[in-house]
């Protein structure tokens, strides 16, 4: 038997061991409670931080950063699902440097594991990404990733995108608590995204209203038409983030559109172009009276490839300026750089409203100008009537009086002076009558401007050539070119296109008519066989003589890639 002292020591050690275990368990529970409390605080801080952002891009970036911090992930990303609902249209990352992104290449579109969450928008947690059936590896230069946690973000019951987290720090796995925390953050993120989008939409509406007010003010204050069209193009391009903005107006009696304004990327290739209704995006929008979109305007089969004018551009939209009873007044075309997202309905609807408001402002401005013109014409009629009924009659009566008085004047020199005075009065009456005729004169019929005549000549040449030449016109051709010079231009253009059809064996021809610095310049080029040195020169001689009559000249040469280039130029005022 043991001693009483040994039994007592054993009893003392046993309770001490149990007490240590209890203390350790209590400490662990306190640590867990403290960790839970800290995590709840971190989650609340993340929710508040995300909710403060009103800029959508900043809000998305804050959501990704908060997600990475909350679950202690080395890499995090937020993929925004595109309008078609099957792929990602935007990607926001944390943990990967810009240099790494550049080496990896384009952002993912939603294949593999990322696409799994798009197809099945439920939380997904993986121990090893490569073991999932949907995984098919990473591109070159991609950092290694094994553990994975994905959670969808919903905005008003619609899946907006997904949060992707990989590589939990410390080499441990994502657990149920991580999934729960991330799901809670996703709910807060959906609310924040919805608020940011509503704020963005309100700011966008405000910008459209400001642009409408600016266009209306310029029109109603009598601003030049070209300035107002330029303002429409600039504001529409700025608000929609477009690289190119073009405005075209219909040409009278030709069934074509003329590009009046082009601003932005490669704008020079568009200015002055004459576009057909059936082989241009703007023509289709004008004739249909509704917006026309293109995912890739540079390769759209509905658009004629000649002349090349959309290099480097991708999504595009053409919107008619005005519809309904007032009719379509023109078309505005917007295009973004290749690779950028297309124009959504949320962007097209306010753009269409802006164009409709611009059309109404243009209509009101025209009505006001018509009213002012009528007032001027009425004033002219009044002046002409007063001159005829009052001034001429009094002058005529004065002349008759002087004639009668002249017979009683015996002094020869005085009598001659009276006769001269009567003759001066007769001449004055003739001048006043000529002035009256000028005040009452009206301009001739429509459709006789130089632009319309040139379009008709080019259109008539198309069946003979076997293709439609491209046409570009710039300058105040209908107002600043005298009739005589315009007749020469039309005759030279007709002769030049006839020569191309007869002798060039060309597949393409470009016509450019420009008025600049008091000189009109017509350029007709083709990709044919060129001008043979031994060929007949009668037609060219006639064109040269026409230029010389006006103090101009005819220049002939070859194109950079073969063919011929004819340049006919003359001052707008004949010498």
């Amino acid at each position: 038997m043991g001693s009483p002292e040994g039994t007592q020591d054993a009893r003392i050690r046993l309770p001490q061991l149990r007490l240590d275990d209890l203390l350790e368990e209590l400490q662990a529970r306190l640590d867990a409670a403290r960790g839970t409390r800290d995590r709840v605080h971190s989650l609340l801080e993340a929710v508040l931080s995300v909710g403060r952002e009103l800029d959508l891009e900043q809000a998305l970036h804050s959501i990704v950063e908060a997600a990475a911090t909350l679950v202690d992930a080395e890499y995090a990303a937020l993929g925004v699902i595109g309008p078609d609902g099957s792929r990602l249209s935007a990607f926001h990352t944390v943990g990967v440097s810009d240099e790494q992104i550049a080496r990896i290449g384009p952002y993912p579109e939603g294949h593999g594991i990322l696409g799994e969450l798009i197809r099945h928008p439920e939380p997904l947690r993986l121990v090893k990404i490569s073991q999932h059936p949907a995984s098919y590896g990473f591109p070159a230069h991609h950092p290694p990733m094994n553990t994975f946690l994905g959670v969808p973000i919903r905005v008003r019951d619609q899946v907006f995108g997904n949060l992707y987290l990989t590589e939990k720090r410390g080499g441990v796995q994502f657990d149920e608590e991580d999934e729960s925390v991330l799901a809670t953050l996703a709910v807060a993120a959906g609310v924040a995204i919805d608020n940011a989008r509503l704020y963005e939409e309100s700011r966008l509406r405000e910008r459209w209203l400001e642009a409408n007010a600016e266009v209306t003010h310029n029109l109603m204050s009598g601003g030049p038409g070209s300035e107002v069209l330029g303002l429409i193009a600039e504001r529409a391009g700025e608000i929609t983030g477009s690289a190119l903005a073009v405005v075209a107006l219909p040409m009278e009696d030709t069934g074509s559109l003329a590009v009046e304004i082009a601003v932005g990327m490669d704008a020079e290739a568009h200015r002055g172009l004459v576009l057909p209704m059936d082989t241009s995006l703007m023509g289709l929008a004008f004739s249909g009276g509704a917006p026309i979109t293109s995912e890739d305007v540079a390769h759209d089969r509905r658009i004629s490839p000649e002349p090349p004018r959309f290099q480097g551009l991708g999504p595009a939209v053409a919107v008619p300026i005005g519809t309904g009873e007032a009719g379509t007044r023109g078309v505005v075309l917007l295009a973004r750089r290749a690779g950028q997202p297309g124009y959504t309905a949320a962007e097209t609807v306010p753009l269409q409203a802006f164009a409709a408001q611009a059309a109404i402002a243009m209509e009101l401005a025209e009505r006001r100008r018509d009213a002012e013109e009528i007032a001027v014409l009425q004033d002219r009629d009044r002046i002409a009537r007063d001159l005829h009924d009052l001034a001429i009659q009094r002058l005529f009566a004065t002349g008759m009086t002087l004639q009668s008085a002249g017979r009683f004047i015996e002094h020869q020199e005085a009598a001659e002076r009276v006769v001269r005075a009567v003759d001066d009065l007769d001449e004055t009456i003739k001048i006043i009558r000529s002035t009256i005729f000028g005040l009452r004169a009206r301009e001739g019929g429509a459709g006789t401007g130089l632009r319309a005549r040139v379009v008709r000549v080019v259109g008539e040449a198309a069946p003979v050539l076997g293709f439609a030449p491209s046409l570009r016109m710039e300058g105040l051709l209908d107002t600043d070119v005298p009739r005589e010079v315009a007749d020469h231009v039309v005759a030279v253009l007709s002769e030049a296109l006839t020569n191309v059809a007869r002798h060039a064996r060309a597949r393409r021809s470009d016509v450019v008519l420009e008025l600049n610095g008091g000189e009109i310049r017509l350029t007709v080029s083709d990709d044919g066989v060129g001008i043979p040195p031994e060929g007949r020169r009668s037609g060219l001689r006639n064109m040269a003589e026409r230029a010389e009559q006006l103090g101009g000249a005819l220049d002939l040469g070859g194109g950079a890639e073969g063919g011929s280039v004819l340049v006919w130029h003359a001052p707008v005022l004949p010498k």
Side-chain angles (χ1 to χ4, degrees):
M1 291 183 65
S3 65
E5 293 81 0
T7 303
Q8 188 175 0
D9 290 342
R11 287 175 179 175
I12 292 172
R13 283 196 300 273
L14 185 60
Q16 184 67 41
L17 288 172
R18 289 178 179 173
L19 182 60
D20 290 342
D21 291 340
L22 289 172
L23 287 173
E24 287 179 5
E25 183 178 350
L26 179 60
Q27 185 64 44
R29 294 195 178 202
L30 287 172
D31 291 341
R34 190 179 296 112
T36 301
R37 182 198 64 187
D38 293 342
R39 196 160 199 185
V40 170
H41 281 305
S42 298
L43 179 59
L44 290 174
E45 288 176 2
V47 169
L48 292 174
S49 174
V50 167
R52 280 194 295 265
E53 295 291 348
L54 287 177
D55 180 80
L56 183 58
E57 292 299 310
Q58 288 294 330
L60 296 178
H61 190 71
S62 297
I63 292 167
V64 180
E65 288 185 330
T69 302
L70 284 173
V71 299
D72 202 19
E74 188 173 352
Y75 305 108
L78 192 159
V80 180
I81 299 175
D84 61 358
S86 63
R87 59 179 181 174
L88 301 177
S89 62
F91 212 70
H92 302 264
T93 62
V94 167
V96 185
S97 66
D98 293 338
E99 292 77 10
Q100 286 177 299
I101 293 172
R103 288 198 301 270
I104 294 169
Y107 282 118
E109 294 185 354
H111 305 294
I113 295 297
L114 304 188
E116 187 70 15
L117 256 74
I118 297 175
R119 293 185 293 273
H120 307 287
E122 299 293 337
L124 177 64
R125 186 157 40 97
L126 301 174
V127 175
K128 197 171 184 62
I129 295 175
S130 59
Q131 293 178 352
H132 193 278
S135 175
Y136 60 80
F138 296 100
H141 308 294
H142 197 285
M145 295 180 180
N146 293 298
T147 56
F148 176 86
L149 177 58
V151 174
I153 297 176
R154 287 180 169 83
V155 176
R156 299 191 183 189
D157 297 328
Q158 295 292 323
V159 179
F160 173 83
N162 296 305
L163 276 172
Y164 306 110
L165 288 302
T166 61
E167 294 302 290
K168 187 175 177 69
R169 298 182 190 278
V172 296
Q173 304 295 323
F174 293 109
D175 55 23
E176 291 184 4
E177 189 175 336
D178 292 326
E179 183 178 318
S180 176
V181 167
L182 202 60
T184 305
L185 177 67
V187 173
V191 175
I193 291 168
D194 192 28
N195 290 337
R197 288 204 302 192
L198 289 173
Y199 177 75
E200 192 175 76
E201 288 173 5
S202 66
R203 284 288 300 125
L204 194 60
R205 281 195 296 270
E206 184 179 343
R207 293 183 68 187
W208 282 122
L209 289 173
E210 290 173 354
N212 266 319
E214 190 176 3
V215 169
T216 303
H217 173 74
N218 274 267
L219 277 168
M220 302 309 291
S221 61
S226 59
E227 182 179 308
V228 174
L229 292 177
L231 189 61
I232 291 172
E234 288 174 6
R235 294 297 175 267
E238 289 171 3
I239 295 173
T240 58
S242 302
L244 172 71
V246 179
V247 175
L249 301 180
M251 297 185 66
E252 191 175 5
D253 299 331
T254 64
S256 303
L257 294 173
V259 175
E260 299 289 340
I261 299 294
V263 292
M265 184 175 172
D266 205 15
E268 287 294 334
H270 295 265
R271 290 194 190 108
L273 277 179
V274 176
L275 303 173
M277 292 294 182
D278 55 347
T279 57
S280 66
L281 209 64
M282 302 183 83
L284 293 171
F286 183 88
S287 58
I292 299 291
T293 58
S294 173
E295 290 299 319
D296 186 2
V297 71
H299 302 93
D300 197 316
R301 293 183 177 180
R302 296 172 295 175
I303 303 170
S304 60
E306 299 294 341
R309 57 196 185 276
F310 290 113
Q311 287 86 348
L313 295 171
V317 61
V319 175
I321 300 176
T323 53
E325 294 182 1
T328 305
R329 294 183 161 271
V331 182
V332 57
L333 178 139
L334 304 174
R336 289 176 175 146
R337 293 181 183 274
Q340 290 190 335
Y343 293 88
T344 62
E347 293 175 301
T348 305
V349 169
L351 173 60
Q352 195 172 3
F354 170 68
Q357 285 295 111
I360 293 172
M362 292 166 73
E363 175 77 14
L364 291 173
E366 282 187 11
R367 295 288 176 87
R368 195 187 72 169
R369 283 194 296 269
D370 289 344
E372 291 173 352
E373 185 177 346
I374 289 172
V376 170
L377 292 176
Q378 289 175 341
D379 201 38
R380 285 182 177 181
D381 286 342
R382 181 188 58 77
I383 294 170
R385 187 172 57 251
D386 290 346
L387 286 173
H388 182 272
D389 295 344
L390 301 175
I392 288 182
Q393 298 303 325
R394 296 196 62 173
L395 288 172
F396 187 75
T398 303
M400 293 289 289
T401 302
L402 287 174
Q403 267 186 325
S404 299
R407 290 196 293 268
F408 300 102
I409 299 174
E410 297 180 355
H411 192 282
Q412 182 65 28
E413 186 176 349
E416 290 176 357
R417 287 187 178 184
V418 170
V419 171
R420 286 199 300 271
V422 171
D423 291 340
D424 287 344
L425 285 173
D426 287 340
E427 191 64 32
T428 301
I429 290 171
K430 290 179 182 177
I431 292 172
I432 293 175
R433 280 177 172 162
S434 176
T435 303
I436 293 171
F437 179 79
L439 286 170
R440 288 175 171 171
R442 299 291 185 269
E443 291 188 358
T448 58
L450 179 56
R451 282 177 176 263
R453 296 173 67 189
V454 167
V455 171
R456 279 196 291 269
V457 170
V458 172
E460 291 167 359
V464 182
L465 290 165
F467 57 84
S470 73
L471 174 60
R472 183 195 309 277
M473 293 188 284
E474 295 186 28
L476 302 175
L477 299 172
D478 288 340
T479 57
D480 288 4
V481 179
R483 179 75 183 193
E484 180 187 358
V485 179
D487 291 342
H488 284 295
V489 170
V490 172
V492 169
L493 175 60
S494 179
E495 180 69 25
L497 291 176
T498 301
N499 288 344
V500 172
R502 287 177 179 174
H503 311 297
R505 298 200 295 274
R507 292 176 297 177
R508 173 183 171 182
S509 180
D510 300 311
V511 177
V512 179
L513 182 61
E514 303 167 288
L515 178 63
N516 189 13
E519 182 183 69
I520 190 163
R521 179 179 294 267
L522 172 66
T523 304
V524 180
S525 58
D526 63 74
D527 62 352
V529 297
I531 301 174
E534 70 281 356
R536 292 181 58 188
R537 298 279 171 156
S538 57
L540 296 175
R541 187 164 54 250
N542 290 338
M543 288 187 274
E545 289 174 357
R546 288 180 179 275
E548 290 166 2
Q549 289 175 21
L550 301 172
L554 174 69
D555 300 323
L556 298 172
E561 300 178 358
S564 61
V565 179
L566 179 149
V567 181
W568 186 94
H569 54 95
V572 291
L573 294 176
K575 292 185 178 180

